[in-house]
Amino acid sequence: MKGLAVPMPSDTQTRQLRSRALPREYFGTDGVRGIVGEFVTPELLERLGRASALWSGRGRVFIGRDTRASGEELAAAFARGVASAGGSAVLAGVVPTPAVALLRLDLGIVISASHNPPEYNGVKFFDRNGRKLSDDAEEEIEALLDAPARGGGEIDFVDVAVDSYLQHVLERFGSDLSGLRIAVDCANGAYSTIAPHAFAELGAQVETIGNKPDGNNINVGCGATDLAALQRRVVAGKFDLGIAFDGDGDRMLAVDGTGEAVDGDQIVAVLALHLGVDQVAVTTMTNLGFHRLMEDRGIRVITTDVGDRYVLEALYREGAVLGGEQSGHIICLRDHVTGDGLASALLLCAALEGRTLAEAAAAMERYPQVKRNLPRTGRGPLPESLREQVEAVNSELNGDGRVLVRPSGTEPLVRVLAEAPTTEEAEALCVRIASLVTQELG
């Protein structure tokens, strides 16, 4: 393959997603993910490769990966599975997740565990339109995991994927960044060489950290999951702002010039006002302050389950272009098909319009939130009795705060969030709900 074009979606081929929890053995919130050697193995990846190639029809599969040490072996195993089903696997090496979504064939596959530590890995899936698979599609693929090999397929390699992706993002999302001083944390992941080049190409003065991946340092003490190093660098270097990505590049968070973190809710708020949208899609985790700002500005808010694929579903369904998650999944469907950390960062820089990031983010008052992750045995829905007790607490709060309890889709955890007008109230509320969860689950 000598060149790659960026295909945009065809509505006639769209598979609609549905926000519902289904009992799947391997698929979680976003593809398949787990600890390498325990849950995720080359054998499982080969079976997934064969099953997904059979499911996709023609079986042309574009395969990228992040910088984890296990990635190359797992990508090769997935490609073998595709070939064993008579399909055509195209291995692209290390590329960000949004690049795979843009450059997908019948399927786009990323060998990645996203923001998780290096010992994790997994697979993210995109259909021929660059969209996350539906729950039904995931069940259909799982049903094909034991299908017999047919043979007759092929494995190819391509080395122009990064260039094609970068050209697309710069042309569609770039602006003149001359005079802007930016510190960039690449999480020792897939953006380690791409993102600094992009900002510099647009005229910014760039200093980069987290750009020396060794296979075992992705997301370790750096990136969007740990902003401390970037915050120190921004303050010490007197940068205008800092940008942090996660290991596979689909998340982005920011740091203002004073070192304060700017989360996904605030970023979506800044972009909503800058782009002049009339509706946005966010998740149940989104801060109450965001909802109040959108209400004041007459912008409709669509609330979904946690997970960027549910935000994407809502955007496509409602004909909206902007959405995101507090965790940093920012989605702008203007000239794109999925969330993209680099594209979002470039849009955020353009939205400053001569202001500091702190000034831009101040448009949204952020209510204090306190979160806890509680271990549990296994996965799956929470007991109805626990859900009823949580609903009772929310009714009692009467809009002056809220609690959210949900099972993690990627880890054996229950995630608890409490939100209130003051930090003290939020902390007390979180302790109360965590105690409830512990009593119910043991």
Side-chain angles (χ1 to χ4, degrees):
M1 299 182 69
K2 295 183 179 180
L4 291 171
V6 175
M8 298 308 284
S10 164
D11 288 339
T12 60
Q13 296 176 321
T14 300
R15 289 172 179 252
Q16 291 297 319
L17 299 177
R18 283 176 281 180
S19 302
R20 59 189 177 90
L22 290 174
R24 296 176 298 266
E25 184 176 355
Y26 295 100
F27 283 86
T29 302
D30 191 3
V32 175
R33 192 179 307 179
I35 295 176
V36 177
E38 296 179 10
F39 184 71
V40 173
T41 64
E43 292 74 23
L44 174 60
L45 271 286
E46 187 166 342
R47 293 170 65 204
L48 283 167
R50 181 163 53 250
S52 59
L54 291 170
W55 177 85
S56 70
R58 289 177 292 179
R60 299 176 304 141
V61 184
F62 185 90
I63 304 171
R65 59 183 173 88
D66 66 22
T67 57
R68 296 164 202 272
S70 58
E72 188 170 5
E73 179 185 12
L74 294 175
F78 197 98
R80 287 196 304 272
V82 171
S84 76
S88 175
V90 178
L91 287 163
V94 175
V95 291
T97 286
V100 174
L102 282 168
L103 299 170
R104 78 284 170 183
L105 299 168
D106 295 317
L107 280 176
I109 300 299
V110 193
I111 306 300
S112 173
S114 192
H115 62 283
N116 289 117
E119 62 268 22
Y120 284 78
N121 217 330
V123 192
K124 293 185 178 185
F125 294 78
F126 296 92
D127 69 14
R128 60 174 50 90
N129 289 312
R131 301 181 186 179
K132 299 288 181 74
L133 300 188
S134 68
D135 294 320
D136 288 339
E138 292 174 348
E139 285 194 318
E140 290 164 6
I141 289 174
E142 285 204 1
L144 293 168
L145 282 174
D146 295 322
R150 297 177 180 178
E154 60 181 5
I155 299 174
D156 198 0
F157 299 86
V158 64
D159 60 5
V160 297
V162 167
D163 295 336
S164 299
Y165 163 72
L166 188 56
Q167 179 182 356
H168 178 85
V169 171
L170 289 175
E171 288 179 353
R172 308 300 178 91
F173 299 94
S175 61
D176 184 3
L177 302 184
S178 299
L180 204 59
R181 300 183 67 248
I182 307 174
V184 180
D185 186 343
C186 298
N188 292 312
Y191 272 140
S192 291
T193 58
I194 300 170
H197 175 78
F199 288 111
E201 183 78 10
L202 295 170
Q205 181 181 335
V206 184
E207 182 172 314
T208 311
I209 62 175
N211 62 333
K212 295 179 173 59
D214 63 11
N216 298 300
N217 61 357
I218 186 171
N219 300 319
V220 177
C222 59
T225 55
D226 189 343
L227 294 175
L230 181 62
Q231 290 171 309
R232 290 192 297 269
R233 189 68 217 115
V234 167
V235 172
K238 298 181 179 180
F239 287 91
D240 295 314
L241 74 157
I243 298 293
F245 302 106
D246 70 341
D248 74 323
D250 64 354
R251 288 193 190 194
M252 183 276 293
L253 293 177
V255 172
D256 71 23
T258 70
E260 286 295 313
V262 177
D263 68 17
D265 292 343
Q266 295 168 290
I267 293 168
V268 174
V270 171
L271 295 183
L273 301 184
H274 172 66
L275 296 174
V277 300
D278 59 3
Q279 55 184 339
V280 293
V282 295
T283 77
T284 54
M285 297 290 288
T286 296
N287 196 280
L288 284 172
F290 178 91
H291 290 273
R292 301 282 168 85
L293 175 62
M294 295 299 105
E295 183 179 4
D296 289 345
R297 298 302 180 94
I299 300 172
R300 176 187 176 220
V301 178
I302 308 152
T303 303
T304 79
D305 293 339
V306 173
D308 64 314
R309 67 178 180 142
Y310 298 125
V311 176
L312 275 162
E313 173 207 34
L315 293 176
Y316 281 117
R317 184 184 66 237
E318 302 296 328
V321 298
L322 180 67
E325 292 191 284
Q326 189 179 88
S327 60
H329 284 123
I330 314 297
I331 303 165
C332 180
L333 295 182
R334 187 195 73 184
D335 300 318
H336 216 313
V337 294
T338 195
D340 185 309
L342 179 57
S344 302
L346 296 179
L347 283 174
L348 179 64
C349 290
L352 297 181
E353 299 178 313
R355 301 171 295 174
T356 67
L357 178 56
E359 290 169 340
M364 183 193 120
E365 178 186 2
R366 186 165 55 174
Y367 280 57
Q369 291 183 332
V370 178
K371 304 172 187 176
R372 286 186 65 179
N373 291 329
L374 304 175
R376 68 178 299 198
T377 302
R379 302 182 183 181
L382 297 175
E384 182 64 29
S385 58
L386 176 58
R387 293 202 295 270
E388 289 175 353
Q389 292 180 75
V390 170
E391 288 176 8
V393 172
N394 278 321
S395 296
E396 174 190 320
L397 291 169
N398 195 31
D400 291 328
R402 65 169 181 140
V403 293
L404 176 67
V405 179
R406 66 180 184 88
S408 169
T410 58
E411 301 172 87
L413 299 171
V414 174
R415 304 194 191 279
V416 176
L417 176 145
E419 192 168 12
T422 69
T423 300
E424 292 75 15
E425 290 173 291
E427 287 174 345
L429 197 52
C430 188
V431 168
R432 176 183 171 189
I433 298 303
S435 177
L436 255 180
V437 172
T438 302
Q439 290 173 16
E440 284 288 329
L441 298 182

